[in-house]
Amino acid sequence: MTGLGSTMPKLRVRGATKVYETRSGDLLALDRCSLDVMPGEIVSIVGPSGCGKTTLLWSMSGLHGLTGGEVLLDGKAITGPNPAIGMVFQEANLLPWRNLDSNIHFPFEIKREKPDREWIASLVSRVGLDGFGGRFPRELSGGMQQRAALVRALSFKPSVLLMDEPFGALDSFTREEMNHLVEEIWMDTRTTIVLITHSIEEAIFLSDRVVVLSPRPGRVANIYEVPFPRPRSMEIMATKEVFDLQNAIKREIVGEQKSRYAALQALPDAIPAPTH
Ligand SMILES: Nc1ncnc2c1ncn2[C@@H]1O[C@H](COP(=O)(O)OP(=O)(O)O)[C@@H](O)[C@H]1O
Ligand SMILES: [Mg+2]
């Protein structure tokens, strides 16, 4: 991509800090986390369980407020849910009593907005769900349900798609299929994507950059560029370069986990006071 350096970030996380108030006291989940995501970029976030990945993603969506710092979308602070941001979660969260079509249209009913039926039909077709519109979630496989969730998230034509371990519950073959599908959709739409995943292979396959978070409190520990051309074939994914990158990221996460206690020792004395 040319001129990337001069473009304004699509999403900008600046000094994101989040403290959860729990029964056993304050819990610092994110500590001055900063990250820029450029327009059309795919960025993956990886890191040990509980390090604050979901907290970071929800704050990017505007669904959760931060204790400190800010998130900017196209240079403007995000203060609440935003129609320009679509989300996909590990569970498809389809309503069991509604068929697939009516599940996809549900958010439009809630918002009393008219769906772009042509666009939705093209998405349904794109994810291979043609002819399944009348089926109920229980009649669909996990992969098909997640395809529907993807259509639902893209139906509003978001400029940013946030995904929290979207394929974590699927078997590995279905997961690979979904990875290819996301790559294809991205090649068509160039939607900016932020993806949380436990799979380093998935992160490398899909991303322009892989962000490694430290153990809680989450901070950006390192960022790896993924320079391979798209579409990323099986041949590319089997190269030594990919293997080396995968190992480097894995080592970083494991190393980070080992230094967990060192990281905890280095916690700042004062936790910033909530601003709300
Ligand atoms: N609503 C909440 N209330 C209190 N603690 C929370 C809440 N959500 C998450 N946490 C805690 O914050 C930390 C980060 O959680 P999370 O962002 O879900 O991590 P990850 O997605 O990386 O596994 C964890 O220790 C988790 O237990
Ligand atoms: Mg999580």
Side-chain angles (χ1 to χ4, degrees):
M1 249 176 275
T2 53
L4 197 67
S6 59
T7 323
M8 180 163 77
K10 184 80 200 166
L11 260 183
R12 171 154 251 208
V13 180
R14 286 209 294 216
T17 297
K18 178 74 177 185
V19 178
Y20 289 112
E21 287 162 24
T22 71
R23 258 181 273 166
S24 49
D26 285 354
L27 184 146
L28 182 60
L30 283 180
D31 183 20
R32 292 161 290 169
C33 200
S34 294
L35 174 69
D36 282 351
V37 182
M38 302 310 286
E41 221 190 351
I42 305 183
V43 170
S44 287
I45 299 175
V46 297
S49 190
C51 74
K53 301 181 292 297
T54 295
T55 302
L56 178 60
L57 202 79
W58 279 67
S59 67
M60 285 179 174
S61 75
L63 292 171
H64 273 185
L66 285 166
T67 313
E70 60 180 355
V71 179
L72 308 169
L73 174 70
D74 295 320
K76 287 193 206 90
I78 295 181
T79 52
N82 192 311
I85 299 176
M87 284 192 93
V88 177
F89 307 95
Q90 186 166 356
E91 301 297 330
N93 300 320
L94 301 175
L95 299 171
W97 58 89
R98 284 181 162 235
N99 69 22
L100 194 134
D101 269 347
S102 126
N103 259 292
I104 292 169
H105 287 106
F106 183 62
F108 291 92
E109 289 172 29
I110 298 279
K111 294 185 181 181
R112 294 169 193 267
E113 271 182 41
K114 232 179 122 205
D116 180 341
R117 289 183 185 277
E118 218 171 295
W119 168 243
I120 292 176
S122 74
L123 286 171
V124 167
S125 189
R126 158 56 96 198
V127 304
L129 284 176
D130 269 336
F132 289 94
R135 302 279 186 98
F136 287 87
R138 64 174 179 277
E139 300 173 305
L140 301 169
S141 68
M144 290 167 110
Q145 293 193 29
Q146 231 20 3
R147 285 163 196 261
L150 202 51
V151 170
R152 191 181 48 193
L154 292 169
S155 62
F156 282 91
K157 303 180 189 163
S159 62
V160 176
L161 183 62
L162 304 177
M163 301 202 275
D164 192 351
E165 300 188 29
F167 314 128
L170 304 177
D171 65 80
S172 61
F173 294 115
T174 309
R175 183 175 195 147
E176 255 177 62
E177 269 175 31
M178 296 301 287
N179 286 171
H180 284 280
L181 186 60
V182 171
E183 184 186 54
E184 280 173 23
I185 289 174
W186 178 85
M187 290 185 83
D188 284 352
T189 61
R190 303 286 157 146
T191 307
T192 308
I193 298 177
V194 182
L195 165 82
I196 292 176
T197 177
H198 271 126
S199 161
I200 297 169
E201 197 181 345
E202 177 172 273
I204 293 176
F205 176 77
L206 283 173
S207 316
D208 295 293
R209 290 185 297 150
V210 178
V211 176
V212 179
L213 289 193
S214 68
R216 191 173 65 76
R219 291 190 81 167
V220 175
N222 211 341
I223 299 182
Y224 292 83
E225 302 274 338
V226 187
F228 313 114
R230 292 189 175 99
R232 292 180 179 159
S233 61
M234 272 173 78
E235 288 72 31
I236 290 179
M237 292 307 289
T239 57
K240 183 173 182 306
E241 285 79 2
V242 169
F243 183 76
D244 288 348
L245 180 59
Q246 205 167 328
N247 277 331
I249 297 173
K250 210 174 279 179
R251 264 199 305 274
E252 169 114 33
I253 297 173
V254 174
E256 285 286 351
Q257 273 172 319
K258 276 191 189 146
S259 63
R260 183 184 194 104
Y261 293 103
L264 284 172
Q265 299 266 296
L267 271 181
D269 293 326
I271 292 174
T275 50
H276 51 81

